[in-house]
Amino acid sequence: MDREQVTGWIAAYEQAWRTPGTEALATIFTEQASYRQGPYREPVVGLPAIARMWEAERDGPDEAFQMTSEVVAVEGDTAVARLEVRYGDPVDQEYRDLWIMRFAADGRCASFEEWPFWPAQSTATDS
């Protein structure tokens, strides 16, 4: 993988989120992909399970949101990206996220892990 391919994959992920149904998931994730929604969450494994989680997590393909991303690093089949997502119009929810992705030879994601952070979430230095 290179930065351009990872940027394209992120765009395909966003497009899939904005598309009705979950058929597009097979174009961006491998059949046995794992999807971890947070560093301490159990992974969701396999396309059928990811599709169920996907539909449960989104308000629908027409929900209002803006997403920006920056690829931070790419090393072999692994990439890290920083994202900012703002939901609503006007914006009523936002978060920043790090994505750690490991890709199969065909460019689909085999392992996806996100590290979401919300504005009001405290850090160790806030204690």
Side-chain angles (χ1 to χ4, degrees), residues 4 16 20 28 30 44 47 57 67 69-70 78 82 86-87 100 110 121:
E4 185 176 328
I28 59 174
T30 63
V44 175
L47 276 177
E57 290 295 319
M67 186 174 102
S69 65
E70 171 193 5
T78 303
R82 181 179 312 132
R86 295 173 179 218
Y87 288 96
I100 303 169
Q121 192 171 346

Side-chain angles (χ1 to χ4, degrees), residues 11-25 27-28 51 54-55 58-63 65:
Y13 179 104
E14 180 180 357
Q15 183 59 43
W17 191 265
R18 295 181 185 278
T19 300
T22 58
E23 292 77 22
L25 290 175
T27 67
I28 59 174
W54 189 274
E55 288 292 22
R58 65 181 179 171
D59 289 339
D62 57 347
E63 72 182 316
F65 74 93

Side-chain angles (χ1 to χ4, degrees), residues 31-91:
E31 184 65 34
Q32 290 302 313
S34 68
Y35 190 121
R36 188 180 301 262
Q37 294 174 281
Y40 296 103
R41 305 271 305 265
E42 287 297 316
V44 175
V45 179
L47 276 177
I50 292 170
R52 287 189 299 276
M53 176 272 303
W54 189 274
E55 288 292 22
E57 290 295 319
R58 65 181 179 171
D59 289 339
D62 57 347
E63 72 182 316
F65 74 93
Q66 300 168 0
M67 186 174 102
T68 58
S69 65
E70 171 193 5
V71 177
V72 176
V74 180
E75 180 70 31
D77 66 354
T78 303
V80 177
R82 181 179 312 132
L83 289 89
E84 187 167 307
V85 184
R86 295 173 179 218
Y87 288 96
D89 186 18
V91 174

Side-chain angles (χ1 to χ4, degrees), residues 87-102:
Y87 288 96
D89 186 18
V91 174
D92 59 3
Q93 178 187 8
E94 67 179 85
Y95 70 97
R96 292 189 179 158
D97 205 353
L98 287 178
W99 288 0
I100 303 169
M101 301 152 284
R102 188 174 48 78

